[in-house]
Amino acid sequence: LRARAEKVPLVVYDRQMSTQAAERLALVQRLRDALERGEFELAYQPIHRLSDLGVVSVEALIRWRRPDGRCVSPLDFIPLAEESGLIVPIGAWVLEEAARAYRRLADAGRGDVSIAVNVSAVQFESGISRDGLRALRAGAGLPVRALHLELTESVLLRNPDAARVLMLQLHEDGVCLSIDDFGTGFSSMAYLRDLPLDHLKIDRGFVRDVASDPRSAAICRTLIGLGHGLGLSVVAEGVEDAAQLDWLRAEGCDLVQGYHLGRPMPLDALLARLAGLESSAAR
Ligand code: C2E
Ligand code: MG
Ligand code: MG
Ligand code: MG
C-alpha cells in the first residue's frame, strides 16, 4: 500500500487550477463546435526548388477563423486538440480539405504541385491507415503523389513499431513522407536509417541564423549532408531573407520554404500566384 501511495503524484489543488481545467474544457468544446460549424481553414505555403525556385509542393497549415473574424494560430489549439483526441476528426477534415484543394490545383493545370499535410502523433496512431488514405484518394480521384505526410519525431516516439509498420505500408503505396522539424526533438539517427522517408525538413530555428552564426551553419550543413547521404531531399523551413537563401543554395539544399518566398495563403491566392508565376516564366 505504501509503495502504491508513493507513486501517486502530489497534486496541489487550488482555485486557479480548477479555473484552468474549466477553461481547457470550454476550449475543447469550442474546438468541437468549430469543427461542426466549419470554422477551420487551410492556408497553403509554397515549397520551392532551390535550383530555379519553381513551386513543387505546398504545405497545408490549419487556421481557426473565429466568428468574430479573429484567426487563431494552430500553435494555440493543436496541442489541446492532441490531448483531447479531437485531432483525429480535425486531422481527417484537414486531409479531406487538402484533397479538395488538390483537385482545384489539378483542374487549374497544376497537378504537379502536391500538398504536404501535417499529421500529429495521436492522429498517425489512431486516425490514419493505409486503407483510409486509399479510400480518400479513390473517392477524390487523386494520384498518390497528391498528398504528402509530414510527421514529427513525436510520431516515432509514441509507438515506434506501429508507426514503422504504417510508414512502410504507406511507402509501399507510394505516399511521400517527410520528417518535420528535424533536430528539435529526440532526433535519432536510427529513425533516419530505418524508416522509409523521402524528405528531411530542417527546423526554422536552425535556418534563422545560418548566414550569421557559424554554429547554426555547422548544424544546417551537417543536416543537409546527412539527408543527402541517406538519399533524402532536404527542405529548409523559415527562409526569411536572401542571405539565408544564398547560403542554402551554396550548400546544396534542395527545397526551401519561408516568408521570403511566400507566406501561407488561401487557396485562391495560391492559384493566382501559380498562374502568375507560370505566365511570368513563359514571358
Ligand atoms: P510546421 O509544420 O513546422 O509548419 C511551419 C510553420 O512555420 C508554420 O506555422 C508556418 O506558417 C511557419 N513559417 C513558415 N515560413 C516561415 C518564416 O519564414 N518565418 C516564420 N517566422 N515562420 C514561418 P503555423 O502555420 O503557425 O503552424 C505551426 C505548427 O502547427 C506547424 O509547424 C505544425 O506543427 C502545426 N500544424 C499546422 N497545421 C496543422 C495541421 O493541419 N495538423 C497538425 N497536426 N498540425 C498542424
Ligand atoms: Mg510541417
Ligand atoms: Mg516544420
Ligand atoms: Mg518547424
Side-chain angles (χ1 to χ4, degrees):
L1 191 74
R2 233 187 99 208
R4 226 154 131 209
E6 276 166 3
K7 277 192 192 149
V8 176
L10 178 68
V11 176
V12 181
Y13 188 84
D14 63 19
R15 191 172 293 143
Q16 193 198 340
M17 221 174 111
S18 70
T19 311
Q20 275 175 8
E23 277 172 2
R24 290 164 57 80
L25 260 177
L27 183 55
V28 169
Q29 188 54 46
R30 286 212 298 278
L31 281 174
R32 199 173 278 128
D33 293 344
L35 185 60
E36 264 167 34
R37 293 177 191 150
E39 292 175 7
F40 291 115
E41 301 172 358
L42 293 183
Y44 301 89
Q45 185 177 34
I47 300 176
H48 300 254
R49 252 187 322 262
L50 200 40
S51 55
D52 61 356
L53 298 187
V55 176
V56 294
S57 57
V58 292
E59 179 172 4
L61 296 158
I62 196 168
R63 269 82 185 106
W64 177 10
R65 177 83 54 195
R66 303 290 300 274
D68 62 10
R70 204 162 55 87
C71 190
V72 185
S73 153
L75 299 174
D76 294 331
F77 66 86
I78 290 288
L80 190 58
E82 285 171 347
E83 279 169 47
S84 62
L86 264 181
I87 192 65
V88 172
I90 292 174
W93 176 83
V94 170
L95 279 164
E96 286 159 17
E97 181 74 1
R100 286 188 284 273
Y102 180 81
R103 284 257 43 99
R104 290 201 48 207
L105 284 170
D107 290 347
R110 290 309 304 262
D112 59 310
V113 175
S114 46
I115 301 185
V117 173
N118 291 286
V119 174
S120 292
V122 187
Q123 186 194 356
F124 198 69
E125 189 171 75
S126 52
I128 298 256
S129 68
R130 167 190 242 174
D131 288 344
L133 285 181
R134 283 180 175 173
L136 175 73
R137 288 195 300 269
L142 305 188
V144 68
R145 67 164 187 283
L147 302 177
H148 292 196
L149 302 185
E150 292 195 1
L151 311 172
T152 54
E153 294 156 70
S154 61
V155 165
L156 309 166
L157 284 177
R158 233 182 120 78
N159 189 343
D161 295 333
R164 184 162 184 276
V165 168
L166 180 52
M167 288 175 75
L168 287 167
Q169 290 177 341
L170 297 180
H171 179 73
E172 250 175 46
D173 282 3
V175 178
C176 222
L177 302 172
S178 306
I179 187 98
D180 202 356
D181 303 336
F182 191 77
T184 59
F186 297 86
S187 310
S188 162
M189 300 304 140
Y191 302 150
L192 293 185
R193 186 191 58 197
D194 299 337
L195 295 172
L197 291 161
D198 301 280
H199 299 275
L200 183 157
K201 296 191 81 169
I202 304 179
D203 191 66
R204 168 154 66 84
F206 298 119
V207 174
R208 192 184 54 222
D209 300 320
V210 88
S212 55
D213 168 31
R215 302 175 77 86
S216 294
I219 290 172
C220 282
R221 190 176 292 123
T222 301
L223 290 178
I224 293 169
L226 178 65
H228 287 169
L230 294 167
L232 309 181
S233 281
V234 179
V235 188
E237 298 186 322
V239 176
E240 292 188 349
D241 59 42
Q244 293 163 343
L245 192 68
D246 291 343
W247 189 93
L248 291 161
R249 186 181 284 117
E251 294 295 332
C253 187
D254 305 283
L255 302 166
V256 279
Q257 170 183 7
Y259 293 172
H260 182 61
L261 297 143
R263 296 206 170 225
M265 61 189 95
L267 183 59
D268 286 328
L270 175 72
L271 288 164
R273 209 190 133 126
L274 290 173
L277 286 178
E278 221 161 51
S279 58
S280 65
R283 248 182 263 139

